Amino acid sequence: MESLSDTLWDVVISGTGLQQSLLALALSRSGKKILHIDPNEFYGGPEAAFSIQEADAWVARVSASSDGGIFKSASFARPEEAITGLSASRGYSLALAPQFIHARSALLSQLVSSRAYRQVEFLAVGSFYIFKPSQDAGQKPSLTRIPSTREEVFSTTAVSAKAKRSLMKFLKFVLDYENSPHLETWQPFAEAPLVDLLQSSFKMDTELQTYIVTLTLSLDGKIRTKDGLAVIRRHLSSMGVYGPGFAAIYPKWGGLSEIAQVSCRAGAVGGAVYMLGTGIEETEIVTGEGEGEGEIKLRLTSGDTVKTRKLVRVDERPSGRVGISRVTAVIGSPLKSLFEATMEGAPRPAVSVIAFPAGSISTVAGKASEYPVYLSAHSSETGECPVGQSVVYLTTLTNPNAQEILNNALVGFISATSDAEPSPVLYRLQYEQLAGSDKSHIEGSVFNLPAPSASLSFDDTTLESVREAWAMVMGDDAGGAEYMVFEDREGAAEEDDGYE
């Protein structure tokens, strides 16, 4: 077998984040010589999932890092009174990217056509809730389910009869919004905030507007009408695709991390060489005329120097756009009320989403939250924590008060879901994720993928850059190949089982 340095690689893929891993999946039957490296000692990159011990070590690396990566201000805490409630470190799988996937997502179609779906177990994402703060000192805050189907609208007691009519009218409108006469209704508002359309054309009050905007998962709460309508239709049209009562699914064992690992497994089975703990120290483009022109020489942190025709990496340079702040908490309670089937025949959900509208949470100094906070609650069915516990992921746009707002939202959530004594927080991880480039770009033989999306649900535009990178690597062979469409391979199950 040729050594790393003696081989002319068709492509070196740097990083095992979701995008790079999907590229490995797409190339897994191509016969190309692929070297897939990652400076980390784990798979998944910014979409990784960690045990408690691994999360602690990750915080230490982020704190010590000066390479301009997308994560910063990372810390963890184990309240002393709750330490005894934590199970063994390996009993947890805390996701850096706890994104769920709508049933109508192109990602699921590609996982099916590539046969990779057989290696991933998916769970139902249940109800969406609105957090309502207490009105006086003697009351607890509460959670109100957002009705997003015809049946839920009719059965809910959270909205008035008049509001129900407005809501039903809007839900029917969204499902056919791209056709006349609905098209003429919203086009004048296309670039305006969605709430302008809701107020003007559907006479919705502020509370009902909040319900609708929450379904868009807009991080700033100011989503444009044309974007908001598309997101809500995807949510509504996804309802019931894989079963009654839910519109989205979540990969077990750590969300997108599991898809990244399955995709890398396919790359390895296809012959790709994997090297963790190996990054790129220096990149040199061979110039001039003659043999080797346009090739790339890479000096790796392992000490090897390799040659490749193409290099694919992620552009993680900060873009100046606002990033996100996150808190991940292990709760010493199963939170059973959030994981109940909403209708007969529906599966028990493993994930529920709670929105804290802008202004619903305040700092100690009385500063109200500028942006919405979203909380994704995960039961032990996700494999991310032991039975009897839950994991919650809180997200908001980064701002000077973000971490305090997130921690206060966590306190409010625990108050709203605890019957007597507040459920204990057993472990808390917090960090910021910077916003990188949101577009891919090519520099000669180097393809730069966009930075990971901060969206709360999987963003299908991510797949466009992966396909562009695939076409660049395939070159002339791309014309005769079907993208992400593979036949079953004899003995594939045995091969996959043998991959570590």
Side-chain angles (χ1 to χ4, degrees):
M1 179 179 177
E2 291 182 296
S3 69
L4 292 176
S5 299
D6 292 335
T7 301
L8 174 57
W9 302 95
D10 290 302
V11 61
V12 172
I13 305 174
S14 179
T16 56
L18 182 69
Q19 296 178 88
Q20 301 100 307
S21 301
L22 288 173
L23 175 61
L25 171 61
L27 293 169
S28 63
R29 308 283 182 96
S30 67
K32 300 291 184 183
K33 293 181 178 179
I34 302 167
L35 177 60
H36 200 165
I37 63 177
D38 195 318
N40 298 305
E41 296 287 353
F42 53 83
Y43 288 94
E47 287 92 12
F50 299 132
S51 67
I52 296 291
Q53 185 177 357
E54 289 168 341
D56 292 352
W58 178 79
V59 167
R61 285 194 297 272
V62 171
S63 300
S65 175
S66 58
D67 64 0
I70 64 171
F71 296 108
K72 70 172 189 176
S73 303
S75 65
F76 66 87
R78 289 183 179 86
E80 289 187 10
E81 65 275 12
I83 289 179
T84 56
L86 278 177
S87 297
S89 172
R90 284 289 173 185
Y92 300 89
S93 183
L94 308 180
L96 288 180
Q99 295 179 345
F100 56 81
I101 308 167
H102 276 96
R104 293 293 186 188
S105 170
L107 174 60
L108 296 180
S109 298
Q110 291 184 7
L111 292 178
V112 170
S113 65
S114 66
R115 302 298 190 263
Y117 77 99
R118 291 175 175 167
Q119 305 299 319
V120 185
E121 183 176 350
F122 293 101
L123 304 164
V125 176
S127 297
F128 283 59
Y129 295 85
I130 291 286
F131 173 85
K132 293 187 175 182
S134 57
Q135 299 301 310
D136 59 57
Q139 289 184 329
K140 287 174 46 178
S142 60
L143 305 180
T144 299
R145 181 182 283 116
I146 300 174
S148 56
T149 65
R150 180 185 180 90
E151 293 77 13
E152 289 177 342
V153 171
F154 283 134
S155 63
T156 184
T157 58
V159 297
S160 66
K162 181 179 179 181
K164 287 183 179 182
R165 289 193 292 271
S166 296
L167 185 55
M168 185 60 70
K169 178 182 177 182
F170 176 75
L171 295 179
K172 291 180 179 178
F173 170 88
V174 170
L175 289 172
D176 197 35
Y177 82 97
E178 290 184 313
N179 298 315
S180 293
H182 301 321
L183 191 64
E184 291 75 16
T185 300
W186 68 266
Q187 276 194 326
F189 298 89
E191 299 297 327
L194 176 61
V195 293
D196 290 359
L197 173 70
L198 300 179
Q199 183 176 17
S200 176
S201 300
F202 296 91
K203 311 303 179 186
M204 290 187 183
D205 59 22
T206 301
E207 183 175 24
L208 207 53
Q209 291 173 29
T210 300
Y211 285 11
I212 297 299
V213 173
T214 292
L215 292 178
T216 72
L217 300 174
S218 169
L219 287 168
D220 65 1
K222 302 173 184 177
I223 192 168
R224 294 182 300 180
T225 294
K226 66 178 184 180
D227 299 325
L229 293 176
V231 172
I232 295 172
R233 184 177 67 175
R234 182 180 65 171
H235 178 83
L236 296 179
S237 63
S238 293
M239 189 69 69
V241 170
Y242 293 115
F246 65 98
I249 55 180
Y250 184 77
K252 190 173 182 177
W253 309 114
L256 298 183
S257 169
E258 188 68 5
I259 294 178
Q261 293 202 50
V262 165
S263 298
C264 288
R265 185 178 302 142
V269 170
V273 174
Y274 278 79
M275 295 179 65
L276 296 183
T278 304
I280 299 173
E281 282 191 341
E282 185 177 332
T283 303
E284 178 189 349
I285 309 296
V286 178
T287 58
E289 299 180 357
E291 187 177 356
E293 180 187 1
E295 292 175 2
I296 305 170
K297 288 185 178 179
L298 302 173
R299 190 172 80 231
L300 306 181
T301 56
S302 62
D304 297 291
T305 297
V306 300
K307 296 174 292 183
T308 180
R309 292 188 173 94
K310 306 292 182 185
L311 170 64
V312 178
R313 62 191 180 188
V314 167
D315 184 357
E316 292 189 346
R317 293 172 296 180
S319 65
R321 296 182 297 121
V322 178
I324 58 173
S325 295
R326 275 200 164 125
V327 165
T328 299
V330 177
I331 306 296
S333 167
L335 302 175
K336 290 183 179 179
S337 64
L338 295 179
F339 307 118
E340 297 175 349
T342 57
M343 62 177 62
E344 186 176 352
R348 184 173 62 187
V351 176
S352 289
V353 180
I354 295 89
F356 298 72
S360 62
I361 300 293
S362 298
T363 66
V364 172
K367 176 72 173 176
S369 52
E370 181 180 359
Y371 303 111
V373 172
Y374 290 93
L375 183 152
S376 185
H378 295 207
S379 76
S380 61
E381 292 293 321
T382 62
E384 294 173 348
C385 64
V387 174
Q389 299 177 12
S390 306
V391 178
V392 297
Y393 301 92
L394 297 100
T395 306
T396 194
L397 287 180
T398 297
N399 64 86
N401 299 311
Q403 288 300 334
E404 184 178 358
I405 289 294
L406 289 175
N407 285 315
N408 288 347
L410 176 59
V411 171
F413 167 77
I414 290 174
S415 176
T417 54
S418 299
D419 294 328
E421 291 296 317
S423 303
V425 176
L426 307 180
Y427 181 86
R428 186 173 66 248
L429 170 69
Q430 58 188 49
Y431 56 92
E432 292 180 13
Q433 180 176 323
L434 303 176
S437 171
D438 60 352
K439 299 185 182 300
S440 60
H441 61 280
I442 299 175
E443 300 171 356
S445 299
V446 180
F447 192 100
N448 295 279
L449 295 161
S453 170
S455 299
L456 301 172
S457 63
F458 181 78
D459 185 351
D460 276 349
T461 59
T462 299
L463 303 175
E464 298 170 6
S465 297
V466 176
R467 181 160 188 162
E468 290 171 8
W470 172 84
M472 177 180 173
V473 174
M474 293 291 289
D476 294 338
D477 295 333
E482 285 190 283
Y483 180 70
M484 285 284 199
V485 178
F486 304 138
E487 296 297 327
D488 281 328
R489 181 169 43 200
E490 185 177 354
E494 288 80 6
E495 288 178 319
D496 287 344
D497 289 342
Y499 174 76
E500 294 294 339

